[in-house]
Amino acid sequence: MDKEKIISFPHLGDYYIPIKFLLTHLTDHKVVESPPITKRTIELGTKHSPDFVCVPFKYNLGNFIETLENGANVLIQAGGGCRYGYYPEVQEKILKDLGYDFELLTLGENGKISLKHIYKTFKKLNPQIGIFKPCYFGILTILMIRFMDNIDQIIRKNIGFETEKGSFVKLKKEMLEKFANCKGFISLTKLYHKYKKEFMTLPINKPKNCLKVGIIGELYTSMEPFSSYFLESELASMNIEIKRFTNVSYLLYEKRLKEKKLLKYIKKYCKYTLGADGMDNVYRAKYLIDSGFDGLIHIKPFGCTPEIGAIPIIRKVCEEGKMPIIYFSFDSQTSEVGIKTRLEAFYDMLKIKKGR
């Protein structure tokens, strides 16, 4: 008798909800998300990873080890984009050497996400699957992600000014639970508009001249709160309006559509793309200056090559635009106390500059 397949995948913020939703509807197998990321996750990943590999690799590997310990035997990795495209093969080799028995499937092929390859992957998990079902639930999942990202933008703009502590987080948790159990397009759309209205009417006390800070940088540390030591929550506690560009909606379809427009906007600084989100972040720096933001935070994993290439250009953009900027580089040894100390000093500087 064949062993029951239990499917799992790495964590990435709240996106485990739509990923689990999609996998549950397109396979006939049990789907479990990785345990929430903790200090143990990164310790496990670091212990079994090459020393100088970028930190998202270590988080993903730690995710896989924890979920394999919990019984998963089919792992799914996205692949594609910068060194991320090489993760699956290396991680599979490490995990096999550690003695784990599992199958690893990827959604990417030759460094790119391919719809044809994704369909073949799901066909392996569910040989009876046709064309209609993957299309239907694929589009529904993309719409769910879009709605989540739209709500997150509202939250970042207002959470630092909530009059009842925890009100935004509580409502978001309720919304995500409802999204996970939606029955179709109409159900999901109704839920989105219902919760959007509720988020917009949550009581806040927001001054007109509040501090506004933009976050740019590498995609994983932007979207996985644990990897950036909950940077956005720290900013919100300082009564700051937050703008962050990178999300899954942007990576899925917006990025390709906007590339020429972005290059035109920053033609003074870039003639070509810089790999991964390097060029995008140069654009974002200039956009935030032109939009009257008070400060800029650039975040990346230690050793992230595309962001290292973009930093000198971003620095020049900020110098010309007189925009205060602070850089955070994260690895498994980063001190949380050090992060908070530097962030508080940056906040004090922005407050003084704003007062002037």
Side-chain angles (χ1 to χ4, degrees):
M1 186 176 178
D2 291 338
K3 189 177 180 181
E4 179 193 10
K5 289 187 176 181
I6 302 173
I7 305 168
S8 193
F9 49 90
H11 251 279
L12 186 64
D14 293 320
Y15 294 114
Y16 72 89
I17 290 171
I19 295 170
K20 185 177 181 181
F21 177 85
L22 179 65
L23 291 172
T24 300
H25 284 90
L26 295 187
T27 69
D28 294 326
H29 308 294
K30 184 178 179 181
V31 180
V32 294
E33 67 267 21
S34 303
I37 294 178
T38 62
K39 190 176 179 182
R40 180 176 185 265
T41 309
I42 187 63
E43 286 174 351
L44 282 171
T46 302
K47 180 180 179 182
H48 300 292
S49 297
D51 285 343
F52 293 104
V53 74
C54 47
V55 78
F57 181 102
K58 298 174 183 178
Y59 276 106
N60 280 185
L61 188 65
N63 283 154
F64 281 152
I65 292 173
E66 288 185 318
T67 198
L68 286 167
E69 288 175 348
N70 288 346
N73 51 35
V74 178
L75 304 179
I76 294 184
Q77 177 64 281
C82 64
R83 285 184 285 183
Y84 197 75
Y86 300 101
Y87 282 13
E89 291 83 359
V90 181
Q91 289 171 338
E92 183 177 28
K93 174 66 175 169
I94 291 170
L95 293 170
K96 295 280 188 184
D97 287 347
L98 290 173
Y100 292 106
D101 180 21
F102 67 97
E103 179 183 9
L104 189 141
L105 303 173
T106 66
L107 302 181
E109 187 178 36
N110 299 323
K112 294 182 180 179
I113 299 295
S114 158
L115 291 176
K116 185 178 179 181
H117 185 76
I118 291 172
Y119 177 73
K120 286 181 179 178
T121 299
F122 284 116
K123 195 80 173 171
K124 288 180 184 177
L125 294 170
N126 184 4
Q128 307 303 318
I129 200 169
I131 292 292
F132 174 76
K133 197 172 181 181
C135 289
Y136 179 86
F137 283 105
I139 295 170
L140 182 58
T141 302
I142 290 171
L143 184 64
M144 184 186 296
I145 289 168
R146 182 65 186 177
F147 287 163
M148 287 171 58
D149 289 337
N150 288 348
I151 293 296
D152 278 341
Q153 296 285 15
I154 296 171
I155 293 172
R156 289 188 197 99
K157 201 169 181 179
N158 298 302
I159 190 171
F161 313 95
E162 60 186 0
T163 55
E164 182 185 339
K165 191 174 181 181
S167 58
F168 279 87
V169 172
K170 182 181 178 183
L171 186 60
K172 183 181 179 182
K173 183 180 178 182
E174 180 187 310
M175 180 195 77
L176 292 175
E177 287 174 356
K178 297 287 186 182
F179 274 18
N181 295 297
C182 76
K183 302 301 180 184
F185 285 95
I186 295 174
S187 166
L188 179 63
T189 304
K190 284 182 177 178
L191 284 169
Y192 167 65
H193 288 294
K194 172 184 179 292
Y195 281 102
K196 183 180 179 182
K197 185 177 179 181
E198 290 187 26
F199 275 109
M200 296 293 285
T201 54
L202 278 175
I204 58 172
N205 182 19
K206 185 177 182 180
K208 288 184 179 180
N209 63 338
C210 66
L211 283 173
K212 297 193 292 183
V213 170
I215 299 174
I216 63 173
E218 185 269 341
L219 68 91
Y220 186 88
T221 46
S222 294
M223 294 190 290
E224 173 47 58
F226 194 96
S227 71
S228 62
Y229 294 79
F230 300 96
L231 179 65
E232 290 185 23
S233 297
E234 288 294 324
L235 291 173
S237 70
M238 297 173 179
N239 308 120
I240 293 174
E241 178 183 318
I242 305 160
K243 173 73 175 174
R244 193 243 287 170
F245 297 83
T246 303
N247 53 38
V248 172
S249 296
Y250 180 79
L251 298 171
L252 283 175
Y253 51 88
E254 290 179 22
K255 185 177 173 69
R256 293 179 185 178
L257 297 174
K258 292 182 176 180
E259 187 174 290
K260 288 183 179 179
K261 179 184 174 183
L262 268 55
L263 271 174
K264 186 177 179 182
Y265 188 75
I266 56 169
K267 61 184 178 181
K268 178 182 175 182
Y269 305 100
C270 290
K271 291 184 179 180
Y272 313 100
T273 59
L274 302 172
D277 281 356
M279 180 268 293
D280 308 60
N281 288 319
V282 175
Y283 160 81
R284 291 161 182 168
K286 188 173 189 318
Y287 172 84
L288 291 166
I289 292 168
D290 294 345
S291 301
F293 272 66
D294 300 296
L296 185 56
I297 298 175
H298 181 277
I299 59 178
K300 69 173 182 65
F302 174 77
C304 179
T305 308
E307 294 305 324
I308 289 171
I311 283 174
I313 309 172
I314 293 169
R315 186 178 290 121
K316 183 178 180 182
V317 173
C318 290
E319 284 174 358
E320 292 184 1
K322 295 181 172 55
M323 168 69 85
I325 183 169
I326 187 170
Y327 302 92
F328 288 108
S329 185
F330 300 101
D331 62 22
S332 56
Q333 303 300 321
T334 300
S335 164
E336 185 175 0
V337 175
I339 296 290
K340 288 185 176 180
T341 302
R342 291 182 62 209
L343 198 58
E344 286 167 3
F346 186 64
Y347 166 69
D348 290 339
M349 183 191 69
L350 294 182
K351 243 188 355 176
I352 293 168
K353 186 173 183 288
K354 187 84 168 177
R356 288 174 182 168

